[in-house]
Amino acid sequence: MLFSIVVKLNIMNPTDILILAIGGLVSGIMAGLLGIGGGVILVPLLVSLGNEPIKATATSSLAIVITSVSGSIQNWRMGYFNLKKILYLGISALFTAQLGVVLAINIPPYLLLALFGLLLLTNIYLVQLRKQLLAKGNTDKTPFNPTIARIATGGAGGLLAGLFGVGGGVIMVPLQMLLLGEQIKLAIQTSLGVIISTAVSSSVTQAYAGNVLFIQGIILGCGGLIGAQISTRVLPKLPDHVVSIVFRSFLGILSIYIFYRAWLSYQGSAS
């Protein structure tokens, strides 16, 4: 096993290895800082290196397992790991992640990317909507049943984890804020813990389907492990409004790039 890994590393382009390591590091930093798992960086990165979208999402899930475990261990050591909240969201996410994988395998690549871009734009709106509720004084109270809201939040996160290989945090953070009235930093820390279950669930299914690129995933995951350790230490020190601005700006920039990749994929399939 170790020998085969060494052989594959020798075959890989050194530049690609460096890009993957740096990309993993950046994704790990963003995972701990924004609770997004890092897939919103890893999927576009893997696609830009010439991998099929389905393999990119599958490999991203493997890397996210390593990153989310690293960040959650650090959150636990710092006292920011609420197991009860994580389990409430994680149980439904486990099941819906499998559904997401099935859908991802049967969706055309360009459509998969386009849906991913729409997801990012939707999340910008959800975060802004929560900001407006806070401005009106609705800080903690929500009109939603907490149990149903948790099932919906975890289920949506799991579905998107399997579908896009993003961990699910891009939807779980806004939904926790909107449906459960959570503050953004608590939502991020909870999301990172839930991502462990969604990433494991989706990556196992994708590996069984033969879509996971293990070497690339391990390189990304090792970079993410280091990045998550850095950002989970920084997050508690940042003001909520700064984290919110960074989160929305990041999603906006990334959505533009994803739509561009979707258009190129569509052009390629049409020719």
Side-chain angles (χ1 to χ4, degrees):
M1 177 68 176
L2 180 61
F3 176 75
S4 64
I5 292 175
V6 172
V7 170
K8 289 180 180 179
L9 282 173
N10 288 332
I11 295 175
M12 289 182 63
N13 187 325
T15 302
D16 288 351
I17 295 176
L18 180 61
I19 292 173
L20 289 171
I22 294 174
L25 177 66
V26 173
S27 74
I29 292 174
M30 300 304 288
L33 191 63
L34 302 177
I36 58 176
V40 289
I41 293 176
L42 301 182
V43 172
L45 175 63
L46 287 164
V47 170
S48 68
L49 291 176
N51 297 292
E52 300 174 19
I54 185 60
K55 292 187 180 294
T57 59
T59 305
S60 171
S61 294
L62 174 61
I64 288 170
V65 172
I66 302 173
T67 301
S68 57
V69 168
S70 171
S72 293
I73 288 175
Q74 183 57 37
N75 279 334
W76 172 73
R77 293 176 60 188
M78 296 168 60
Y80 299 123
F81 189 86
N82 191 317
L83 182 59
K84 184 177 180 180
K85 290 180 180 292
I86 290 169
L87 288 176
Y88 276 139
L89 299 179
I91 291 175
S92 59
L94 276 173
F95 295 100
T96 55
Q98 299 300 313
L99 175 60
V101 170
V102 173
L103 292 174
I105 293 173
N106 293 282
I107 292 178
Y110 67 87
L111 183 56
L112 189 64
L113 290 171
L115 290 173
F116 191 12
L118 288 174
L119 166 69
L120 298 178
L121 292 179
T122 301
N123 288 339
I124 295 173
Y125 168 74
L126 291 177
V127 174
Q128 181 61 32
L129 179 60
R130 176 58 182 166
K131 184 179 178 181
Q132 294 172 357
L133 292 175
L134 288 172
K136 294 178 180 179
N138 299 328
T139 54
D140 297 309
K141 297 179 179 179
T142 66
F144 305 100
N145 180 282
T147 301
I148 296 176
R150 289 188 176 96
I151 292 173
T153 299
L159 178 66
L160 298 178
L163 189 59
F164 300 120
V166 296
V170 289
I171 191 68
M172 282 190 289
V173 171
L175 287 183
Q176 284 182 83
M177 296 170 64
L178 183 63
L179 302 182
L180 299 172
E182 301 282 14
Q183 297 298 316
I184 188 167
K185 286 192 284 190
L186 177 58
I188 287 170
Q189 290 155 348
T190 301
S191 173
L192 192 59
V194 177
I195 283 169
I196 296 175
S197 62
T198 61
V200 169
S201 178
S202 59
S203 62
V204 167
T205 305
Q206 289 281 24
Y208 181 77
N211 293 323
V212 176
L213 305 172
F214 285 96
I215 303 302
Q216 290 88 333
I218 291 172
I219 295 173
L220 289 168
C222 289
L225 186 151
I226 298 172
Q229 290 294 312
I230 296 171
S231 55
T232 49
R233 287 174 168 85
V234 173
L235 177 63
K237 302 176 183 178
L238 296 176
D240 285 2
H241 72 276
V242 172
V243 178
S244 179
I245 291 172
V246 172
F247 188 78
R248 285 180 290 156
S249 300
F250 175 73
L251 294 182
I253 294 170
L254 191 60
S255 66
I256 295 173
Y257 175 74
I258 288 294
F259 280 125
Y260 170 69
R261 295 298 309 187
W263 172 250
L264 291 181
S265 179
Y266 175 74
Q267 292 289 89
S269 64
S271 61

